[in-house]
Amino acid sequence: MARLITFFFFFLLLTESAGQSRPKIGLTLSGGGAKGLSHIGILKAIDSAGLKIDVVTGTSMGSIMGALYAAGYSGKDMEEIAKSIDWGHMFSNRPPIELINMNEKREFSNYALEIPFEKGKAKLFSGFIEGEEIWLRFGELFYPVHQQKNFSKFSIPFACVATDAATGKAVVLKDGEIVKAIRSSMAIPSVFTAIPYNNSLLIDGGVVRNFPVREAKDMGADYVIGVNLSQGLLSADKLLTPVDMLYQIGFYKDADDFDRQVKLCNLLIEPNLSDFSAASFGSADSILHIGNETGKKFYPKFKRLADSLKALYPDAAATVSRLPRAENIILDSVEVIGLTHTTKKDFEGKLGLTPGFTYSGKELATAVRRAYGSGNFRRVAFFVEPGAPGHAVLKCEVIENPRTFMKIGLHYHSYSDVALITTLATRNLIFNRSKTMVKLNISTNFRGLFRHDQAFGKNQRWGTWISAYHEKFKFPLYENFVQQYEYVSRYSYIDLRFYKLMGTTTLAGIGLSKEFLNLQPTVSPGQTFVGTNNYWNAYFFFQRNSLDLKAFPKSGSYIDFQAGHIFDQRNNFTYSSADGTISSDTLGLRFNAYQHIRLKAGKYFPLGPRWTLMAQFNNGINLNYQEAFLNFYSVGGINDFIRNQIPFVGLSENQVNTNSITALLGGVQFEPFTNFVTTFRANVGYYDFIDQKISDWKLLSGYAISGGYRSPIGPLEISLIYSDQAKAFLGYVNVGFTF
């Protein structure tokens, strides 16, 4: 019966229009957060049927899908785009780590909470999420239509709906910057920041009209295909996430409007997505599958309508490839709106673009990502304003971050116990292009760091930093892999470095530090060393990091190399035993200058979406140096976070102390579910090999099996470790990012 009614309606519509212009087919796509990915399957079916769409309207996620389709992307194109997007990163406030400069990677995304301060007070924004990557990714995707500011001139005329936050009225967006329009339409109250647009402050259109069929009719649609995902207000048992709750509260008004919109719709499609929420981006593949299945179900109806239209109107044939060619532009100039603490010259230096040169949309987006990666901005949106043929002006609208942030993190480790990590960071405190921070590790093992980083040069690739550090840390000593003594190490340094950034992944430079060391036992055993040493360390360093994630990376590599010369050692050590006390002057110890080399490197090889192969090489050598209780390398541990540490799975931190160690690790990482990982590692190494015959080298081997999770407060990892030499199974726990 339903098919008969539909066919009869088509017949009346077409016969009434005979001899007149072809009836217009409208498409309305509702909002629904992650569920909006199911729109793609419907669009693929429409394309397959050859049905020509004349008008597209959408709200929120429907506005994104509708705008892409109207601009010229096919349903198949959009599916490929959706599968390539990291949705978790898409809706974050952070750039990908590969765009963060090497001198800032250590601090990047290292805290559970970051509180901005302005004029001495904590600053609040209109939403938790700015979604910088939304601006940039859609800036790339819509670059082919950057010359068209009137959405009715797209391949398919388009409009989307937002809400005026001041009046609560619907605002229909038909012109301007398309990226700004769809970003306004999806600004869920309190989740995403509101968007200034033509003297209004706009939020999600779903607040008043989540299913804008009326707008499609107003644009001339005679027949409207509507895809609705909201399915009314959720029952109490379906309100599972904060996003769900905010959707519910924000869309009370839309619930009254929905029934009126449905009555205007000629063909209503409602995919069965009851098992998913607006925040289910982790289930993107499943939602895409349901959309494809729904599209197949409605394909016969699309096909009958398309064939009927073609029979009466030869111009009714649809063109799938409608996207304009993305021509490169010659950059005339850069305009920047919104700078307060940063100069235009510094901003342009971060962009790295040169007027008069030719750029693609992707290159422009990469330049903006580079500027955003400085950490100075909450938002950098870019728009391309056409000029003379082949020329354009790049317009950047920025919102700067407050200059000062308070950052807080928690850390627990089997070796170092519980710690509260707090950082006060500010920029341009003394000079322009500078960043200054004070960082504390509040724990029984105290740490404190002051660092001032000053950039200079046209593109800010050269820099210097001055830092001062102090720690009081436990220092166990082992004999034959069994702990015998418990010492306390007090270590401090003052450090000056000069460096050059080579891209965002590589850093090289020279440094000079004055270092101070004090060792004393917590409980005096029968025989003890007690005393101090201070010395100068002149060194060269090279660092490279292209890892894709900070916790449990899936691809990329890293290198941390340092080679230096220790000189001018000044010591005061005593040795105590039952026979008395002997000072360092009479012990015959040599504190000559010596050289040190440390290399830590690793690479992650993706074997598919869930499997990763890892390889690491850790090496530390002191040349011409014999005093093993001073600046030796501390071998052991999975996480690299203590002084002079050479990680070695199977051993606890400091379980082996040596002047020479080389180790090779291999492992495999499996991610059965998003952010959950299981890892197996095995390593082998030799130590105490300097000035020794090969037969006298000492062998180490160890293993670890771990379960981990990328949490909002940092990685959570629990491991079981074993060493063939220590012959003991040990538990090993790390929660949160280290100091």
Side-chain angles (χ1 to χ4, degrees):
M1 179 61 72
R3 291 184 178 181
L4 181 60
I5 293 173
T6 302
F7 176 78
F8 182 68
F9 181 85
F10 290 165
F11 177 78
L12 288 178
L13 177 66
L14 297 175
T15 53
E16 286 179 5
S17 303
Q20 302 176 14
S21 60
R22 182 178 69 83
K24 291 185 177 181
I25 307 300
L27 176 65
T28 294
L29 306 177
S30 81
K35 294 186 288 186
L37 295 172
S38 65
H39 288 313
I40 294 173
I42 314 302
L43 297 173
K44 287 172 62 182
I46 288 173
D47 288 342
S48 296
L51 179 59
K52 184 177 181 180
I53 300 298
D54 300 286
V55 170
V56 178
T57 60
T59 296
S60 198
M61 195 66 168
S63 74
I64 297 173
M65 299 301 166
L68 288 169
Y69 193 69
Y73 289 93
S74 68
K76 185 177 180 181
D77 293 335
M78 293 167 62
E79 184 175 54
E80 292 175 357
I81 292 169
K83 288 181 177 180
S84 70
I85 289 176
D86 180 343
W87 292 99
H89 171 60
M90 193 76 164
F91 296 119
S92 74
N93 286 331
R94 294 187 174 102
I97 191 170
E98 57 262 30
L99 293 180
I100 302 299
N101 285 334
M102 271 300 304
N103 59 323
E104 299 178 15
K105 285 186 189 288
R106 176 74 182 178
E107 287 297 297
F108 172 73
S109 191
N110 207 52
Y111 302 89
L113 183 63
E114 299 187 10
I115 307 170
F117 280 81
E118 196 165 71
K119 298 180 180 179
K121 297 181 179 179
K123 181 176 178 61
L124 299 178
F125 299 96
S126 60
F128 291 110
I129 300 174
E130 181 60 55
E132 172 68 14
E133 189 60 22
I134 296 173
W135 293 96
L136 298 182
R137 188 61 184 268
F138 289 129
E140 287 182 53
L141 292 172
F142 288 102
Y143 177 78
V145 293
H146 73 266
Q147 297 187 60
Q148 191 51 261
K149 308 302 181 183
N150 184 341
F151 308 159
S152 67
K153 302 297 184 182
F154 283 178
S155 174
I156 301 173
F158 170 76
C160 62
V161 176
T163 302
D164 189 321
T167 65
K169 294 182 179 180
V171 178
V172 182
L173 304 174
K174 297 181 179 180
D175 54 33
E177 297 293 348
I178 183 61
V179 176
K180 186 181 288 189
I182 60 177
R183 175 60 177 80
S184 301
S185 181
M186 59 164 285
I188 304 169
S190 299
V191 177
F192 290 96
T193 52
I195 302 300
Y197 196 99
N198 293 343
N199 299 319
S200 297
L201 191 64
L202 301 185
I203 57 176
D204 197 302
V207 173
V208 291
R209 183 156 296 168
N210 198 46
F211 193 42
V213 182
R214 175 75 271 169
E215 283 64 33
K217 290 284 189 180
D218 291 344
M219 293 172 69
D222 300 295
Y223 183 91
V224 179
I225 301 169
V227 187
N228 171 51
L229 308 175
S230 65
Q231 299 170 340
L233 296 175
L234 298 175
S235 58
D237 62 321
K238 298 292 180 63
L239 297 172
L240 303 177
T241 70
V243 175
D244 293 334
M245 185 63 73
L246 288 166
Y247 253 92
Q248 185 89 334
I249 296 170
F251 297 160
Y252 284 150
K253 187 175 181 180
D254 170 70
D256 295 332
D257 180 70
F258 177 71
D259 290 339
R260 293 191 293 270
Q261 299 302 312
V262 169
K263 291 176 182 178
L264 297 173
C265 186
N266 302 107
L267 177 59
L268 179 64
I269 301 172
E270 294 185 306
N272 183 9
L273 295 163
S274 57
D275 293 335
F276 303 94
S277 74
S280 297
F281 285 98
S283 302
D285 289 343
S286 298
I287 294 173
L288 286 167
H289 175 72
I290 291 173
N292 286 333
E293 292 302 309
T294 305
K296 292 176 183 177
K297 177 182 176 182
F298 282 86
Y299 172 81
K301 294 184 179 182
F302 300 151
K303 183 64 174 173
R304 284 196 297 271
L305 180 55
D307 290 345
S308 299
L309 286 169
K310 292 173 188 175
L312 291 173
Y313 305 96
D315 68 339
T319 302
V320 176
S321 300
R322 298 172 284 105
L323 190 67
R325 182 179 177 182
E327 301 284 355
N328 292 351
I329 58 99
I330 298 173
L331 181 65
D332 288 338
S333 62
V334 176
E335 296 181 7
V336 190
I337 301 172
L339 293 176
T340 53
H341 307 303
T342 304
T343 66
K344 185 173 184 288
K345 181 179 179 180
D346 288 345
F347 181 82
E348 290 177 341
K350 287 290 186 182
L351 287 176
L353 299 173
T354 304
F357 281 62
T358 301
Y359 296 98
S360 66
K362 186 174 183 178
E363 289 171 329
L364 295 177
T366 298
V368 174
R369 283 187 178 91
R370 191 161 50 239
Y372 179 70
S374 67
N376 296 342
F377 306 100
R378 182 173 175 85
R379 178 204 302 167
V380 184
F382 78 94
F383 311 104
V384 181
E385 189 67 34
H391 291 248
V393 173
L394 180 67
K395 292 188 174 181
C396 295
E397 293 184 6
V398 307
I399 297 177
E400 288 194 83
N401 272 322
R403 291 170 55 186
T404 303
F405 275 81
M406 171 67 78
K407 305 178 183 183
I408 300 172
L410 291 173
H411 182 236
Y412 172 78
H413 194 279
S414 303
Y415 179 79
S416 60
D417 299 325
V418 178
L420 174 67
I421 301 174
T422 63
T423 296
L424 184 65
T426 189
R427 61 190 178 95
N428 299 343
L429 177 65
I430 304 174
F431 303 108
N432 192 27
R433 304 181 180 182
S434 69
K435 293 187 177 182
T436 308
M437 74 171 186
V438 176
K439 186 175 183 179
L440 299 177
N441 185 96
I442 302 172
S443 169
T444 54
N445 296 289
F446 174 81
R447 290 174 162 180
L449 172 68
F450 165 83
R451 190 173 82 193
H452 179 79
D453 193 345
Q454 180 69 56
F456 51 90
K458 179 180 178 181
N459 294 324
Q460 303 175 50
R461 292 300 177 192
W462 293 90
T464 181
W465 77 36
I466 301 172
S467 59
Y469 173 81
H470 175 75
E471 71 173 24
K472 176 187 175 184
F473 226 82
K474 71 176 183 178
F475 191 81
L477 290 179
Y478 291 78
E479 290 183 3
N480 297 321
F481 305 98
V482 178
Q483 183 176 337
Q484 300 294 329
Y485 310 107
E486 179 74 48
Y487 274 69
V488 172
S489 168
R490 290 177 175 85
Y491 170 72
S492 306
Y493 67 71
I494 300 173
D495 185 41
L496 174 64
R497 291 187 178 188
F498 295 92
Y499 64 84
K500 182 180 181 182
L501 290 164
M502 291 163 277
T504 58
T505 61
T506 307
L507 173 75
I510 57 174
L512 178 66
S513 62
K514 179 69 171 178
E515 303 181 31
F516 306 84
L517 176 66
N518 176 281
L519 290 176
Q520 62 183 35
T522 54
V523 177
S524 297
Q527 299 178 352
T528 60
F529 283 101
V530 179
T532 63
N533 190 26
N534 65 80
Y535 49 87
W536 289 93
N537 179 18
Y539 58 92
F540 165 81
F541 62 94
F542 176 87
Q543 298 174 353
R544 178 176 172 79
N545 187 328
S546 63
L547 300 178
D548 63 333
L549 296 169
K550 190 158 188 175
F552 313 118
K554 300 178 183 180
S555 66
S557 62
Y558 69 89
I559 298 172
D560 183 1
F561 173 78
Q562 186 178 119
H565 180 72
I566 301 291
F567 62 97
D568 194 26
Q569 295 192 80
R570 299 174 182 270
N571 65 87
N572 181 18
F573 271 76
T574 59
Y575 170 76
S576 300
S577 68
D579 298 329
T581 299
I582 306 174
S583 69
S584 56
D585 295 333
T586 58
L587 282 174
L589 301 179
R590 295 187 296 111
F591 293 94
N592 298 330
Y594 68 95
Q595 297 74 46
H596 63 95
I597 300 172
R598 187 189 69 221
L599 173 62
K600 300 176 184 179
K603 187 170 178 60
Y604 291 78
F605 305 87
L607 302 179
R610 300 193 181 278
W611 291 91
T612 302
L613 189 67
M614 65 176 70
Q616 296 178 7
F617 176 72
N618 294 309
N619 181 82
I621 299 174
N622 289 334
L623 300 170
N624 306 312
Y625 182 70
Q626 301 297 324
E627 311 309 338
F629 59 88
L630 286 176
N631 288 336
F632 50 75
Y633 295 98
S634 298
V635 181
I638 296 175
N639 307 104
D640 188 358
F641 75 110
I642 66 172
R643 173 178 173 264
N644 280 3
Q645 183 178 1
I646 300 296
F648 195 92
V649 300
L651 299 176
S652 295
E653 285 77 4
N654 281 312
Q655 203 162 0
V656 169
N657 294 319
T658 179
N659 282 316
S660 56
I661 171 71
T662 184
L664 183 65
L665 177 144
V668 62
Q669 178 177 288
F670 175 58
E671 188 168 341
F673 311 104
T674 302
N675 292 326
F676 288 88
V677 298
T678 300
T679 308
F680 174 76
R681 304 175 179 92
N683 52 198
V684 63
Y686 284 95
Y687 68 104
D688 284 354
F689 55 79
I690 291 294
D691 298 328
Q692 300 289 333
K693 297 178 181 179
I694 294 179
S695 59
D696 294 329
W697 293 6
K698 297 178 181 179
L699 174 68
L700 282 177
S701 54
Y703 320 91
I705 184 168
S706 310
Y709 172 63
R710 298 185 193 95
S711 80
I713 64 170
L716 280 67
E717 187 172 28
I718 300 175
S719 305
L720 181 65
I721 65 175
Y722 178 81
S723 167
D724 294 314
Q725 288 69 41
K727 300 186 184 304
F729 287 96
L730 299 173
Y732 190 92
V733 179
N734 181 69
V735 178
F737 289 110
T738 61
F739 185 86

